[in-house]
Amino acid sequence: MEGGRPVSKANETDAVSKANETDAVSKANEAGVVSEVMAQGEARSDAQQMNMIQAINSALDVMMDRDPDVVVMGEDVGYFGGVFRATAGLQQKYGKNRVFDTPITECGIIGVAVGMGAYGLRPVPEIQFADYIYPALDQLVSEAARLRYRSAGEFISPMTVRSPFGGGIFGGQTHSQSPEGIFTHVSGVKTVIPSTPYDAKGLLIAAIEDNDPTIFFEPKRIYNGPFDGHYDTPAKSWAGHAEAQVPQGYYRIPLGKARTARAGEALTILCYGTMVHVVENTVAAMGIDAEIIDLRTLVPLDIEAIEASVRKTGRCLIVHEATRTSGFGAELLAQVQERCFYHLEAPIERVTGFDTPYPHSLEWAYFPGPVRIREAITKIMKD
Amino acid sequence: MSDPIGSVEGQAGRNLPPLKLHVPEPPARPGEAADFTHFDIPAAGAQPRPDEAAQPADMRDMAYGLVRVLDDDGQAVGPWDPRLPAETLLKMLRYMALTRAFDARMFRAQRQGKTSFYMKSTGEEAVSIGAAMALSRDDMCFPSYRQQGILIARDWSLVDMMNQIYSNKGDRMKGRQLPIMYSAREAGFFSISGNLTTQYPQAVGWAMASAAKGDTRIAATWCGEGSTAEGDFHSACTFASVYRAPVIMNVVNNQWAISSFSGFAGAEATTFAARAVGYGIAGLRVDGNDVLAVYAATRWAADRARANAGPTLIEHFTYRVEGHSTSDDPSAYRSAEESSQWPLGDPVARLKQHCIALGIWDEDRHAAMDKELAEHVRDAAREAEKNGILGHGLHHPMESMFEDVFEKMPWHLEEQKQQMLDEWKAAGL
Ligand SMILES: Cc1ncc(C[n+]2csc(CCOP(=O)(O)OP(=O)(O)O)c2C)c(N)n1
Ligand SMILES: [Mg+2]
């Protein structure tokens, strides 16, 4: 993605053959090497149109097929296939020993996943909504995240916690939150957030193969189609979107690698998840030559991509839906300030959710939409 | 992966059978006949009624039986019959029918796009109404999202409830919460959380506070059977037991938790009332579609709590007749026949049959009442809709979003509020 041009997804796809052992490619840096090796001229073979749910389902299917140690568990994920249908058909295909409903206890789900990981399995628990991950916090923060460290690698916790997050569906304060900043603050967990069906599948596969615990937050507002931030216009589907062309087989997108969603010279916009689309649309509407970096992985962060872009443009806007204070944007702002200060031509700006719970009726006043992004861009470009 | 820890190496020659994982499966899935043969339903009136001050250890059987008052002929029988006057019975019937009419109307309102979400309590009305009527008006309730019947039995304003559902400018919660997440302090109804079972230890805390202060009020809380798996349920039981808190903990076992049957909360192994046994608290298991049984059990537990004899855990055995919520389609995971074949019948129909058998009610009056209640609810909805429906502009002012995060608004929220107003103004909105 260097050079500030949109890069074809194929360059980041390592179509590692199924014969490869999963642990052989389990580390992000190794994966990076592999993907570079595989980079040349790899088209999206056997691609088909998928929405983000289908892409996630496909990633789980591919990984369950490749690795008998991968297990899927969570509230309503088994027979029913999940309240968002992300695990549909998996129990029927792989059996109840590998795909099962759980009691409604998030603390239990994650604690059990730690135990299964200690045995040698590769659990992919689902937390039905990110808003319900808090009861599991102790098992995640004190246990999963620290197991490798406190046992000096004797035990690991290779789980990937999938969870829908973010607002825009009139879910009120307990079906709308973006708690990624809570996890990026914890040493020992990786945090991944896709923004397209293609990325969702490739990143989820990489997360499952990764030997460290990974939080995989799925922006549910864009499960069924990209969202431009204009809530009052009809919802779009993923049909016809380039990033909804998803290979049916195995591919991975290395963790820790950002994506240049749009190459440009005027300013750098750092974002992830739903906000990538809101930003893209606002930028297009303004006709400004912004460079939009979709972070994809918050921890570990692709600092090289960020640095290269901000050094080039000299201006930086950070956009996320999560609340502002101690949000991940604060970390991004600090990083950019520390590394690019002498290249900056304007103060760094943040557009974020407000520091309130997510309101129900005033959802769209809360959501950091096109109005606020436009204002921030205008302000940055003025200086 | 590498070998599992403590692998099979050392076991060569021991010839042990392979271990097997048990994953529960409900008796019937879509397309299959409903199957309730595994239920053991004792006859109405068969359960003994222990003294309210009985030691938990002396009444363990109650956690495995089923307290039932109304028999198949609509007669109230046995030691649990609360012997309610005709006037109270008819009031109960009316509250249950009103709850059902309210649910029907609000479900339709969601389907018409007037709000984002709704949850019915169809088939479970007796659980809320029976309990609310057995408690004192000033006892404190910590409900889940399916006990709208408590507000209705406490004569709370339907318009107020609907304003909350429409998230409109009349909503006392200022449009902040998902529909049905009511809060009504004046009605002794605690603010409902979307996070399951958090209300359980909170109810215990309220009850402990009441005891510590020498008050006379008790607390009651409700959660679904699926929600008993949450750690908060077990924390609550431990505190309630340790401090003999004056609290009634209700488990509404409606057999389903979204798509997961009660087996995923442990029902294959024991009853939910039996959770009480391990904690050394009184446990009752009640026919939740028999409003007289619910009333009697709640009354028993309330008297026990008021006498400083400790907490009670009550399992209400009932059935979730409709989908989990407006976002759910149960035909995807359970037998379509189940609700019509539920062996404990319909709570409204059963009380109606009882009242008719007593000679205090008849079909004509019932039909007239249903019609009147439907009109009553319709009128309330029209009134509430004057305050707006979701997404049509009649909401609380935008800056109200920043209020109540703290008692006093700190500088950063002041700043964000101003920024929002400036930006919207600049954008000409
Ligand atoms: C902590 C938490 N986890 C998960 C959910 C999602 N959820 C909402 S209701 C529900 C099922 C609850 O079932 P049950 O306790 O049986 O109550 P019922 O809906 O049957 O009344 C689930 C899993 C939630 N609201 N909160
Ligand atoms: Mg239930």
Side-chain angles (χ1 to χ4, degrees), chain A residues 75-76 104 106 128 132 135, chain B residues 145-146 194-196 224-227 230 254 256-258 324:
Chain A
E75 295 158 16
D76 304 295
I104 303 171
E106 293 72 18
Q128 199 164 84
Y132 303 136
Chain B
Y145 45 72
R146 226 183 280 284
N195 300 56
L196 296 172
E225 86 295 337
S227 302
E230 292 283 7
N254 62 6
W256 291 93
I258 309 184
H324 172 73

